[in-house]
Amino acid sequence: MDLSNIRVVLVRPTHPGNVGAAARAMKNMGLRQYCLVSPSGFQHAEAHARAAGADDVLDGARVFASLEQALAGSRLVVGTSARPRSIVWPSLDPRAAAAKIVEESLQGEVALVFGAERTGLTNEQLDHCHYTVSIPADPEFSSLNLACAVQVMAYEIWCAASQFVPSVSPVSMESGPGTRLASSEELERFYAHLEEVLVQIRFLDPANPRKLMRRLMRLFNRSRPDDNEINILRGILTAVQQSQRGIFDKTRRESQN
Ligand code: SAH
């Protein structure tokens, strides 16, 4: 099965050895699309030593300045976390996540995101994810080495792809016929527009936007809107802005009279 729509994204990896070992883990499991967000020294000898034959995947890695750029074009984003954070983000176990990743990769780009060695993914980085996944481990010592975590997830993806039976309908249950799920850039633009309007109508305090925006992003990420639905929502926001402007102009005219 073709796994080329599945990208592995490492956010700010600090050890070149891990970057190399993750490339090897990917290649073992048929994954090739490697994205690195601000890595420290990935063209390091240690990275190549640990890639051990997966230099093509390592050399083919695309480097981005931000996570948003690395996610561009992806319809599904899954973040990994050593600690279960299911209270805040919908979570899947590794097997279910791999099945979903494989299924959705038939329809478009999918990203599996890993955090930095010391800090993991921040809440702001997890905001971009539709789901989180934690590899079950001893609760007293649940944080795996970064490249080992890549290996476990890549293996699950390999297994899911080998067992994959396409469903009767090629269209995902979450989007209707003739539509496609909104991409991460479309969602980001919608969130920016939503935040702008919520500030304009004074529903949101610009000094403290994060909590409300996080809840709203979670809501929309959970519902997986398609491109038509995002267009409708953006249209509503634009109409709100136009009517706000109308009210503003009217009050200004009245105060001038
Ligand atoms: N202290 C950090 C650990 C970071 S480990 C934390 O608590 O999140 C570096 C990365 O490896 C994590 O961001 C995650 O992408 C991956 N990772 C490590 N252990 C994992 C686990 N048990 N399940 C899923 N991903 C894991």
Side-chain angles (χ1 to χ4, degrees):
M1 190 178 163
D2 177 18
L3 300 177
S4 62
N5 275 348
I6 302 174
R7 64 181 89 161
V8 169
V9 182
L10 303 195
V11 182
R12 299 186 175 280
T14 48
H15 296 297
N18 280 337
V19 176
R24 179 180 186 176
M26 287 173 61
K27 189 170 172 180
N28 283 144
M29 301 297 151
L31 296 170
R32 299 285 168 143
Q33 213 197 133
Y34 200 15
C35 300
L36 301 169
V37 178
S38 308
S40 12
F42 88 102
Q43 285 297 9
H44 193 278
E46 175 75 6
H48 280 278
R50 296 285 302 279
D55 304 72
D56 51 343
V57 173
L58 183 62
D59 292 336
R62 288 180 293 152
V63 177
F64 298 92
S66 71
L67 177 59
E68 288 87 331
Q69 288 167 13
L71 297 178
S74 41
R75 53 177 272 138
L76 173 71
V77 181
V78 177
T80 53
S81 167
R83 292 162 286 145
R85 309 200 211 189
S86 53
I87 308 152
V88 182
W89 285 271
S91 71
L92 294 171
D93 65 48
R95 207 146 291 174
K100 191 153 192 64
I101 287 169
V102 167
E103 185 178 358
E104 295 220 11
S105 74
L106 292 177
Q107 297 179 45
E109 291 279 324
V110 172
L112 178 59
V113 187
F114 294 84
E117 288 90 342
R118 285 172 68 124
T119 52
L121 292 171
T122 62
N123 286 348
E124 284 68 28
Q125 288 160 351
L126 284 169
D127 282 340
H128 299 284
C129 301
H130 294 104
Y131 296 96
T132 62
V133 50
S134 288
I135 300 161
D138 188 333
E140 303 292 317
F141 194 60
S142 64
S143 176
L144 275 68
N145 164 266
L146 171 59
C148 293
V150 173
Q151 183 73 77
V152 172
M153 289 309 302
Y155 169 71
E156 288 293 346
I157 289 171
W158 176 263
C159 293
S162 346
Q163 290 155 15
F164 185 73
V165 183
S167 55
V168 182
S169 159
V171 175
S172 154
M173 304 236 304
E174 280 149 336
S175 62
T179 61
R180 59 162 182 81
L181 289 186
S183 67
S184 65
E185 304 96 290
E186 284 165 335
L187 282 173
E188 293 306 323
R189 283 197 291 269
F190 165 62
Y191 296 141
H193 195 176
L194 181 61
E195 184 168 346
E196 183 186 314
V197 171
L198 293 178
V199 170
Q200 278 169 1
I201 62 173
R202 302 215 177 97
F203 190 81
L204 179 60
D205 175 6
N208 187 20
R210 219 53 228 180
K211 261 208 173 114
L212 177 67
M213 283 315 296
R214 172 159 300 139
R215 293 197 83 95
L216 291 170
M217 285 161 85
R218 221 189 313 156
L219 165 70
F220 288 107
N221 277 346
R222 201 166 60 227
S223 71
R224 314 283 313 276
D226 63 34
D227 53 346
N228 276 334
E229 289 161 341
I230 286 293
N231 281 341
I232 295 170
L233 290 166
R234 294 285 306 266
I236 294 172
L237 292 176
T238 304
V240 170
Q241 287 177 308
Q242 280 161 352
S243 84
Q244 280 281 106
R245 240 170 264 139
I247 295 167
F248 175 75
D249 290 347
K250 187 165 172 269
T251 17
R252 204 174 48 179
R253 271 199 307 277
E254 280 168 4
S255 67
Q256 280 167 354
N257 289 338

